[in-house]
Structures are given as C-alpha cells and as structure tokens.
Amino acid sequence: MSTTLAPRPYESYVYAYPHKTAYRPLEDRPALRGLWAGERKDALSLYLHIPFCEVRCGFCNLFTRIGAPDELTTRYLDALDRQATAVRDALADSEAGAERVRFAAAAFGGGTPTYLEADELDRLCDIAEKRMGADLRAVPLSVETSPATATADRLAVLAERGATRLSIGVQSFVDAEAKAAVRPQRRAEVEAALGRIRDARIPVLNIDLIYGIDGQTEASWRRSLDAALAWRPEELYLYPLYVRPLTGLGRLGAGADSAWDDQRLRLYRQGRDHLLAQGYEQLSMRMFRRPDIPFQDAGADDYACQTDGMIGLGCGARSYTSALHYSFDYAVDMREIRAIIDTYTATEDFSRAEVGRRIDGDEARRRHLLQSLLQAGGMAEAEYRARFGSGPAEDFPAELARFAALGWLDESAPTGLLRLSPEGLAYSDALGPALFSPAVRASMAAYERK
C-alpha cells in the first residue's frame, strides 16, 4: 500500500483534451480545406450537436439553452445544413488523387437531440447522410435523449434511420434526489420512457446515473442501481456529481469538501462492485457494459479517438485534425449561450475555423496517453512508440513515477501494457488533469467564465 498522499479524487471530468476553456479565437481563421488537406479521412467520426433542452439540470454546464422560440430549431437546422455543405466541400474527396472520405461512427448529442420533433430528427439524419455522406445504417449511431423527449414517434424515426445506441440521462430513480439535483422528473415518467425505448428495439440502451447528490445514501444509490438493472441496459454510465461555476447548483452555493469526496468515492466503489457482480465489464471509471452485446452494436471497431479525426457540426461541437482542435465560442451562462446560438444561425460562411487550439507534438503525446490510460484496457506501449518514436516512460517519467507511487498503475499488467489499477481507475478524475500541459493549464486558468 502506497504511503504517498493521494490528491483529491474529483478534480475534473476529462472527456476531451484540451478542454474548450483552453481554446482561443484563431487570428488567421484558417480555411477548413487547408486544415483537412493532409489528414487521413478514411475513419472519421461525425458529431452533430443540438443545443436545446426542455429544462436545464442544476449540475449541467453543457452548451445548451432552455427552449427554442420563434422557429429557432428550423433556423438552427438551416445553419447546420449550410455548415455541413461547407465542411463536406472542404474535405474535397472528389479531387483527383484525394483520399476517400468515410465515416466510421456518428453521434447526435447536446443538449438533447430528441428535443427536435420527429420530422426535424429526420432532417437531422438527412444532413448527416445527404450532405456529409455518412451511411447511418452501416455505422454505429449513438443518440442522447431524456425521459420527457423519448417519445414513440421520435424513437421510431431514430430506429428507422439506423440508431444503434440510445443514451438516456436518468441520474436518479429516487424522486427526492432528482429534485435535489434540480432535475424535475418523476420515476414513473422515467420508467415509461425506458419502456418506449425498449419497444423501439434500438440495440443498445445506456442509462446515465449520478452519485454524490445531496441526501443520497448507500441504500438509495442501491435502489437507483437496481432500478436501472431491472431494464438490463447494455451499458451504464456512473457519473460523480460536480458543482461547476454558473450552473444552478453552483449559484446555490454548493461546493466540494473532503466529506463529499469521501461520499462520492464510497458510492463509486459500491456502484462499481455491484455492476461487476451483476456481470458487467468496466471499460473506464464511468462506463460499464454487458459482455453479451453483439460486436457490431458496441461501437466503431476501426475508429480510435487518440488518432482519428472528428467532424463536429453545430455551435457546440468540436472538430479535430492532427494539428488543430477547433469549434465556436464557448459559454455556460444562458444569456451568453443564446447569443452564440443566434450568431451561429445567422452565419452564412462556415468555411473557416474560428476558435480553437493548436496541437503540437507534446500535446499530441499527452492526449494519446491520457485518452488511452483512462480506458480500463490500458495502452500498448508499442503503439505509442510506433506513433511518436519514443516510449511513454521517456516522455512522462515524473508523471508515471508518481502514478506508480500512488498505486494507480497495475503492476500485474503484461509487459508492454500500461494499465491502471482499480484504484487508478477510481482516481481517473485526478489522474487525467495531472497530464495537462502547463500551457493548457495556464489557458484554462486565464479563461474568463461567461
């Protein structure tokens, strides 16, 4: 057992690196055609962002607004169509000798994509297929939804258009806990939505749950876990609650302390152990999957987030080339988000990158290590060396030595495999930020919240 003092376990959830708070306006506004000219395009991921929700949960800092008055969804889809046309033109696979563009995976996120009406979801799929050239029935297609918007007509559209995975944010099956998280829903509504999802026969159901809610106990957490397990979901995500600035809970003055850290860590371990006992496999700190999912429904088998590019459409989406990550402006405050959406819907020219961050060799190494190490399967050091010409221990000796001293690395892993221990997975939200570069940390610290 390590005697090294462990850091607090919940520094931040690292779902992408660098974070958008490290992005800045790009003074040269580079043309997309030039950015993608030398990139591999044979296994891209396509992400379409819908920034609308019927309500905003107290913990949410996603780029989304409540409601969409005055035909805003129509204007947004019009802008999304214009952006898709410009991006597809920039990929320029029709030129002689150009590499064929192929999408290996697709996702609709938000916000809540199913905030759109059924005919609007049809149009969203048309944008992905007819404008971008993604074959939605031939690749994994993941869509996020909510209990209130998972209606039968919407689900029927998604099932017919090829959705293979539906992710529903339940967070808690206990009504008092949902209320404490400022998420107005009742368990009966959640159960009815889950029934409609199962009736739609979309192959993979994912249920999101949150631990660390005010008033939550081991017993109530177990009730939520068992309520979710009753539906035999193919996937479950267990998220620790975070209270972030400018969110509803943040404005209420909620904050982190060591007792809350202890509670979340205790509930995480309880949830992990319960799901493992029920036969689920742990793929990351958050993600658990049933091992009997058909391979083709589990996700893209030829897309790697560490190396392959992403095309993001919509005002909250990111796009990744090997040298630049780019998006649009970012905000959490509702007034700022509304202004950004209004600017997006009025935009005619989507041929240039506006906001982003350059990715040099050091940042590419950090990103590769971080996104690989946070997966339960770990990282083959040979793959890292083949890409960068050096080993992770050569590039990050201090960081890996510290992780080992903390007991976060699996000493029983086969030679050549860098893998986290169960304790390392538990501390993923401390380990991930420890790999941020000083430059990214400085940019994130200098970001003016809005």
Side-chain angles (χ1 to χ4, degrees):
M1 185 72 177
S2 171
T3 58
T4 301
L5 182 64
R8 299 185 68 170
Y10 301 105
E11 183 174 333
S12 67
Y13 170 27
V14 183
Y15 56 89
Y17 178 79
H19 190 269
K20 285 175 74 173
T21 54
Y23 290 14
R24 293 294 183 270
L26 300 167
E27 294 183 4
D28 58 342
R29 298 180 62 245
L32 301 187
R33 184 178 290 270
L35 290 177
W36 285 98
E39 298 290 314
R40 282 189 55 189
K41 308 182 189 75
D42 61 335
L44 296 173
S45 177
L46 178 64
Y47 178 80
L48 278 67
H49 177 250
I50 303 300
F52 307 112
C53 289
E54 72 275 13
V55 296
R56 193 171 198 191
C57 303
F59 51 82
C60 178
N61 73 335
L62 297 178
F63 188 94
T64 187
R65 62 161 289 165
I66 300 171
D70 303 323
E71 298 185 339
L72 180 57
T73 56
T74 299
R75 288 185 280 120
Y76 186 84
L77 289 172
D78 288 345
L80 199 68
D81 201 337
R82 293 194 300 274
Q83 185 188 7
T85 301
V87 171
R88 182 65 201 207
D89 180 65
L91 294 177
D93 63 322
S94 61
E95 294 183 358
E99 185 178 25
R100 181 177 68 94
V101 174
R102 188 183 72 86
F103 292 97
F108 303 157
T112 308
T114 50
Y115 180 89
L116 299 177
E117 300 290 343
D119 60 336
E120 294 175 319
L121 284 172
D122 239 341
R123 185 181 179 194
L124 186 68
C125 292
D126 282 345
I127 291 171
E129 290 191 324
K130 297 177 181 179
R131 290 289 185 261
M132 293 304 300
D135 188 348
L136 297 183
R137 293 178 179 84
V139 302
L141 169 60
S142 178
V143 184
E144 296 174 5
T145 190
S146 68
T149 62
T151 59
D153 58 339
R154 292 175 170 102
L155 296 173
V157 168
L158 295 174
E160 194 278 328
R161 298 302 294 261
T164 56
R165 179 180 182 270
L166 206 70
S167 179
I168 183 168
V170 173
Q171 320 314 353
S172 177
F173 283 85
V174 178
D175 289 350
E177 291 178 4
K179 183 178 180 181
V182 193
R183 183 178 178 85
Q185 69 182 27
R186 296 190 179 278
R187 178 170 175 173
E189 298 165 349
V190 171
E191 300 279 1
L194 289 168
R196 292 191 295 270
I197 292 170
R198 282 310 197 195
D199 289 343
R201 298 188 180 279
I202 293 172
V204 175
L205 164 64
N206 173 72
I207 297 177
D208 288 346
L209 297 176
I210 285 181
Y211 54 91
I213 300 171
D214 186 35
Q216 191 175 49
T217 65
E218 286 87 342
S220 67
W221 177 228
R222 175 65 178 264
R223 287 200 298 273
S224 275
L225 291 166
D226 286 340
L229 288 168
W231 291 96
R232 291 292 291 158
E234 285 71 24
E235 293 178 358
L236 278 156
Y237 271 72
L238 308 185
Y239 288 96
L241 179 64
Y242 276 95
V243 176
R244 301 176 176 93
L246 303 183
T247 62
L249 290 177
R251 292 188 180 95
L252 291 175
D257 57 26
S258 59
W260 192 33
D261 285 345
D262 292 343
Q263 180 210 19
R264 286 181 287 178
L265 201 53
R266 185 170 62 252
L267 294 176
Y268 159 77
R269 289 176 170 142
Q270 177 190 353
R272 174 199 62 195
D273 293 348
H274 190 47
L275 294 187
L276 293 177
Q278 295 297 313
Y280 284 76
E281 296 176 337
Q282 185 171 18
L283 276 71
S284 69
M285 172 188 169
R286 289 163 171 76
M287 183 181 182
F288 297 81
R289 178 183 287 164
R290 271 175 40 196
D292 59 337
I293 301 177
F295 183 76
Q296 66 270 20
D297 296 329
D301 62 342
D302 58 350
Y303 175 78
C305 63
Q306 299 93 331
T307 56
D308 293 324
M310 173 180 281
I311 297 290
L313 302 179
C315 59
R318 313 159 191 255
S319 295
Y320 302 146
T321 71
S322 59
L324 179 72
H325 292 186
Y326 63 92
S327 183
F328 296 93
D329 202 4
Y330 170 73
V332 175
D333 180 78
M334 190 63 67
R335 288 172 297 181
E336 298 284 350
I337 289 174
R338 288 171 179 164
I340 293 170
I341 293 173
D342 289 344
T343 298
Y344 175 83
T345 59
T347 298
E348 295 292 336
D349 181 6
F350 287 101
S351 66
R352 295 181 174 273
E354 303 290 342
V355 178
R357 188 170 187 90
R358 307 281 180 184
I359 305 298
D360 61 17
D362 176 66
E363 296 294 11
R365 285 172 166 82
R366 291 178 183 276
R367 182 170 183 263
H368 190 110
L369 178 60
L370 187 156
Q371 293 190 309
S372 302
L373 202 53
L374 293 183
Q375 302 301 310
M379 184 189 74
E381 296 184 39
E383 292 180 5
Y384 181 98
R385 184 176 292 277
R387 181 181 180 190
F388 298 112
S390 56
E394 299 166 51
D395 295 336
F396 302 102
E399 291 90 341
L400 292 177
R402 177 170 175 262
F403 298 163
L406 288 165
W408 290 355
L409 299 183
D410 183 0
E411 296 180 354
S412 67
T415 301
L417 180 67
L418 195 60
R419 186 172 65 193
L420 296 183
S421 66
E423 191 71 357
L425 281 174
Y427 276 81
S428 290
D429 286 5
L431 184 149
L435 289 170
F436 291 5
S437 71
V440 164
R441 286 184 174 276
S443 292
M444 292 175 67
Y447 173 78
E448 294 184 11
R449 295 191 182 103
K450 57 184 178 180

